[in-house]
Amino acid sequence: MISHEQYLKLVETLNQHACHYYDENSPVISDAEYDLQYRQLEVFEAALPLMTHPESPTKRVGGAISRGLVPFVHSARLPSLGNVFNDEELTQFYDRIQKDITDTDIEFTVEPKIDGLAVALHYQKGKLVAGATRGDGLTGENVTANLRTIKSLPQQLTQEVDIEVRGEVYMRRSVFETMKTEYANPRNTAAGAIRQLDPQVTASRQLDIWVYQGIYPGILTHFEMMAFLRELGFPIAADISIAKGIEDISIKCHEVFTHKSTYDWEIDGAVIKVNRFGYQEELGFTAKAPRWAMAYKFASETATTKLKDIIVQVGRTGVLTPVAILEPVKVSGVMVHRATLHNLDEIERKGIKIGDDVLIRRAGEVIPEVIVSVNSSEDHLEFKMPTHCPVCGTAVQQIEGEVGVKCPNRRGCAAQLKGAILHLAGRKAMDIEGLGDKLVDQLVDLGHVKSLSDIYRLDFETLSSLDRMAEKSAKNMLAAIEKSKTQSLARFIFALGIPFIGERTAAILASHFGSMETLMAATFEELLSLREVGDKIAAMLLETMADANFMQEVAYFIELGVIPQHLQTEPIDGPLSGRRFLITGTLSSMSRSVAEKRIVELGGVIAPGVSATLTDLVVGDSPGSKVAKVEKLNAKRDEASRIRILDDAAFSKLIG
Ligand code: IVH
């Protein structure tokens, strides 16, 4: 058998060969030679499994290596956090929890929110075995080799435990200042560094990490978990504190805020968490974030600048939005040129006039907004909302029940058409790569596209005649359009841009109705029977289906070869995302098909049978052999990674 040193060398060379083979399509050794060396690896790993290198080619499927970073499926979804921006919103969060949990004395923890990049780290017997970026929450990228370059991250824990921890990779401000990078701030530099293909480049960026979550059985509170993680050798935020009652929570958050500038790392707020894991479980998750935690973001990411002008934009749904054109100013590392003013009421309420100095805020990923005028004058110009659409000239209308106005010329307004096309082509809709605003502007302005379905009528001649469209880009564009024809039904429904039909509702409609024809024949009652569909959505769907122009468009799409794939399901973003369910036996409260539909609507997946990837087994009356199979699998696992066994009552509670 080969030595450990030879083994490591072989891992490296075989990975390189795999790269030549899969990535560059130019193998440098024969298949037989590769197989021989591969077998040597297998022999070594079979004899010494603990020495298996996480990047060994035996751990990888075929060409997964080809795109550099390898996907990593998380053990459970990495959620993001909801945001509050002031004490009033914080109180609403607190009141909501008090309403759901009967304990009058609930403990919370307050800790800094580090502005970096979320990662999940897996340890086996105390050794770091894998680490991945958050990605879309369900699947990230395996960046183990890069994470190993972080000096503050222990490779070996003080106890031989199997544990998963989550944390934030960041770059110290002092390091960022000495570093000339192409990035605007430490956060982006850290994110760029962790996704490098070459760990040596990552190492040169001198990253750090804080750990803020641990998944390990037998610990009852977040505070105790943090102490345990510290004991294991992880760096955790030093100033985590316990708070009780809204005043205390607010004070502790503001304490974090006041310390902001004293830290050598960027923080963008405080995180408030319900301390007791039992309560966390009771509160559960919304589609995107835990109900038991909240980020209190600084409202202080503000700057003052001059308001040069106010223009009016017309969105895809025709709503007119006033937009502030600003003297460019840097807010938390990003140059801001424009900010939203929402609507006329807001402008008047905030006393904003053109020429004023205004305070602007940029909070997280939210579009910057103008908060208030700080220096106005009598002779500054008052803004008036146009009475006619600035794009098509149609008289605007008040939006029923709202303060804004909209252009009613849905089909004839170029701005609305452009918005609708960009929505249709968007990454979450038909995903037509390269169909961006510059191209859409030309297509609409030159009259090549007059309705949504015209996108599928575009030909090579038209595309190649456009500005900045060489022969190759025109061909690529046509290929991207062609490819989009077989997107899933859920994406197609979403792409149509029906008011109120977001991604999630579209996926639910697709999974329930299964085809465009069945959806179009749905009755009000049938629509309402879906839990996520209320009066407003059902009425809008029926109104849309009764619109002859809309139906004509749908017919054109199909005629032009857009065939939404009914069987191809889109994962629904929901509280059960990342979980795989199997039902055995008869449920008393509902039929199996209803139960399965509900699981899918909430983001879960129905597993074909008992396997290692199953997360939940729902057990009804007279269950089959599946229970025994799951128990057998569970016997080999620690508590945290066991497959959950839910009875009828627990399952009903879970699906609400
Ligand atoms: S807890 C389920 N605690 O902020 C709870 N997150 O905006 C998961 N973050 O995705 C998050 N500091 O990457 C938590 N002390 C902290 C944090 C923190 C930074 C990041 C984290 C999360 C993002 C949400």
Side-chain angles (χ1 to χ4, degrees):
M1 195 174 77
I2 52 173
S3 69
H4 185 229
E5 207 177 298
Q6 286 170 319
Y7 167 75
L8 290 178
K9 186 92 204 107
L10 206 51
V11 168
E12 198 185 335
T13 31
L14 284 188
N15 275 342
Q16 273 164 10
H17 287 315
C19 203
H20 292 308
Y21 183 86
Y22 291 117
D23 209 5
E24 298 150 17
N25 284 328
S26 59
V28 289
I29 55 169
S30 71
D31 287 0
E33 180 63 18
Y34 183 90
D35 289 344
L36 188 74
Q37 297 189 5
Y38 193 93
R39 215 155 303 136
Q40 288 179 324
L41 274 193
E42 285 182 321
V43 171
F44 181 92
E45 289 176 0
L48 297 166
L50 284 180
M51 307 285 268
T52 302
H53 195 278
E55 278 167 24
S56 164
T58 59
K59 298 265 153 283
R60 212 158 17 223
V61 189
I65 192 176
S66 64
R67 258 156 278 127
L69 295 175
V70 181
F72 184 98
V73 180
H74 294 298
S75 62
R77 164 191 270 282
L78 264 70
S80 62
L81 289 171
N83 293 319
V84 296
F85 294 99
N86 51 47
D87 275 21
E88 198 184 320
E89 290 170 0
L90 177 70
T91 311
Q92 284 166 6
F93 162 69
Y94 177 81
D95 289 346
R96 230 178 11 247
I97 288 181
Q98 289 293 343
K99 219 173 75 210
D100 287 347
I101 304 280
T102 36
D103 183 350
T104 50
D105 209 18
I106 304 176
E107 268 183 8
F108 290 80
T109 55
V110 176
E111 63 199 62
K113 182 171 184 314
I114 310 111
D115 198 10
L117 177 81
V119 290
L121 302 150
H122 293 255
Y123 286 79
Q124 273 169 17
K125 296 204 163 48
K127 273 199 175 52
L128 174 64
V129 289
T133 58
R134 175 172 187 275
D136 64 1
L138 297 174
T139 308
E141 290 154 327
N142 189 329
V143 285
T144 317
N146 295 348
L147 288 165
R148 286 188 199 281
T149 69
I150 300 179
K151 292 211 179 79
S152 47
L153 182 70
Q155 308 268 327
Q156 171 74 55
L157 305 177
T158 57
Q159 296 176 33
E160 290 197 348
V161 287
D162 289 355
I163 191 170
E164 178 181 349
V165 297
R166 287 159 181 192
E168 198 85 350
V169 170
Y170 68 95
M171 176 177 269
R172 286 175 183 273
R173 279 197 221 171
S174 50
V175 172
F176 178 70
E177 272 149 28
T178 59
M179 204 162 279
K180 291 258 171 307
T181 74
E182 69 269 37
Y183 300 103
N185 52 44
R187 192 209 161 270
N188 292 358
T189 322
I194 212 71
R195 300 184 64 251
Q196 285 292 329
L197 292 182
D198 180 357
Q200 276 183 5
V201 178
T202 315
S204 72
R205 298 279 158 91
Q206 303 166 51
L207 301 176
D208 265 292
I209 189 164
W210 288 121
V211 169
Y212 55 69
Q213 196 182 15
I215 300 167
Y216 194 75
I219 294 180
L220 299 182
T221 67
H222 175 60
F223 197 78
E224 284 162 29
M225 177 65 82
M226 289 294 108
F228 177 59
L229 294 182
R230 186 190 288 132
E231 218 177 283
L232 290 178
F234 289 108
I236 66 152
D239 34 10
I240 169 169
S241 54
I242 291 191
K244 272 188 193 174
I246 183 65
E247 279 83 30
D248 197 16
I249 297 174
S250 164
I251 290 171
K252 301 247 161 71
C253 287
H254 288 281
E255 266 168 25
V256 172
F257 297 173
T258 18
H259 288 141
K260 180 177 167 70
S261 57
T262 64
Y263 296 125
D264 192 19
W265 41 88
E266 305 239 309
I267 62 172
D268 58 346
V271 182
I272 306 108
K273 298 175 186 167
V274 169
N275 195 21
R276 187 159 287 279
F277 290 144
Y279 290 158
Q280 291 189 0
E281 238 165 68
E282 253 181 72
L283 288 158
F285 289 79
T286 66
K288 293 229 163 70
R291 287 205 177 83
W292 44 266
M294 189 56 82
Y296 190 162
K297 289 277 193 77
F298 299 126
S300 59
E301 292 175 54
T302 56
T304 307
T305 188
K306 194 179 173 69
L307 174 63
K308 293 200 299 191
D309 196 5
I310 298 179
I311 60 161
V312 175
Q313 274 181 351
V314 184
R316 146 175 97 83
T317 56
V319 177
L320 271 60
T321 309
V323 176
I325 304 294
L326 305 164
E327 197 75 68
V329 62
K330 222 174 187 182
V331 191
S332 42
V334 172
M335 215 36 137
V336 175
H337 300 259
R338 289 171 171 225
T340 179
L341 286 158
H342 301 292
N343 53 51
L344 185 60
D345 262 29
E346 287 277 298
I347 296 178
E348 286 172 353
R349 197 168 57 77
K350 293 170 178 171
I352 295 165
K353 289 187 194 161
I354 298 166
D356 289 359
D357 287 335
V358 289
L359 187 67
I360 62 161
R361 159 164 73 190
R362 202 186 132 254
E365 299 304 313
V366 186
I367 308 162
E369 62 168 345
V370 176
I371 306 173
V372 72
S373 169
V374 287
N375 175 19
S376 194
S377 141
E378 279 292 289
D379 44 278
H380 285 177
L381 205 61
E382 212 162 278
F383 169 75
K384 291 223 162 31
M385 202 66 175
T387 53
H388 290 76
C389 173
V391 178
C392 71
T394 309
V396 299
Q397 287 175 359
Q398 187 71 42
I399 308 171
E400 213 178 301
E402 287 179 38
V403 287
V405 292
K406 70 187 276 184
C407 162
N409 185 14
R410 202 157 134 203
R411 253 160 234 101
C413 176
Q416 294 185 53
L417 178 59
K418 286 176 184 174
I421 298 171
L422 287 170
H423 173 79
L424 174 106
R427 209 164 43 82
K428 293 179 170 173
M430 301 303 266
D431 195 16
I432 308 180
E433 209 185 317
L435 191 53
D437 38 6
K438 298 242 159 49
L439 199 58
V440 171
D441 278 350
Q442 291 189 65
L443 288 171
V444 173
D445 294 344
L446 297 171
H448 296 308
V449 172
K450 296 198 179 71
S451 72
L452 274 185
S453 58
D454 277 352
I455 292 294
Y456 291 94
R457 293 192 179 91
L458 288 171
D459 55 21
F460 178 74
E461 224 174 28
T462 314
L463 282 169
S464 55
S465 72
L466 300 174
D467 216 22
R468 283 195 274 174
M469 275 298 251
E471 194 173 307
K472 182 144 183 273
S473 4
K475 276 194 184 138
N476 288 344
M477 189 75 255
L478 280 179
I481 293 173
E482 194 57 37
K483 190 169 149 220
S484 76
K485 288 181 176 174
T486 50
Q487 289 290 14
S488 67
L489 178 62
R491 280 171 174 269
F492 181 66
I493 297 174
F494 175 61
L496 292 171
I498 305 167
F500 315 138
I501 310 297
E503 234 181 301
R504 187 172 146 75
T505 313
I508 288 167
L509 291 171
S511 102
H512 181 86
F513 290 102
S515 77
M516 208 52 207
E517 295 74 23
T518 337
L519 169 63
M520 291 188 310
T523 63
F524 193 65
E525 286 67 35
E526 196 176 358
L527 288 167
L528 275 186
S529 74
L530 297 175
R531 286 183 200 224
E532 270 76 6
V533 176
D535 286 4
K536 203 164 113 176
I537 294 182
M540 177 51 75
L541 277 167
L542 288 187
E543 191 188 317
T544 309
M545 303 300 172
D547 175 347
N549 282 310
F550 178 87
M551 296 307 269
Q552 177 65 69
E553 271 295 280
V554 173
Y556 280 147
F557 275 121
I558 296 176
E559 214 175 287
L560 290 161
V562 179
I563 305 166
Q565 300 299 294
H566 300 171
L567 295 175
Q568 183 181 320
T569 47
E570 284 299 318
I572 297 175
D573 203 9
L576 299 186
S577 294
R579 286 168 71 167
R580 295 169 62 83
F581 287 79
L582 191 61
I583 302 176
T584 179
T586 319
L587 300 176
S588 59
S589 50
M590 66 191 90
S591 73
R592 182 179 297 204
S593 63
V594 169
E596 290 186 346
K597 242 179 202 160
R598 186 74 192 128
I599 290 171
V600 171
E601 281 167 17
L602 292 169
V605 169
I606 308 298
V610 176
S611 77
T613 56
L614 189 71
T615 61
D616 296 83
L617 181 71
V618 182
V619 183
D621 260 1
S622 335
S625 60
K626 290 177 184 129
V627 181
K629 281 190 194 156
V630 164
E631 277 166 355
K632 209 167 142 198
L633 278 177
N634 276 350
K636 290 189 218 135
R637 298 185 179 189
D638 62 33
E639 206 176 308
S641 53
R642 281 191 195 134
I643 298 167
R644 274 168 282 229
I645 301 183
L646 304 168
D647 62 13
D648 221 319
F651 177 64
S652 300
K653 195 170 162 221
L654 180 73
I655 61 173

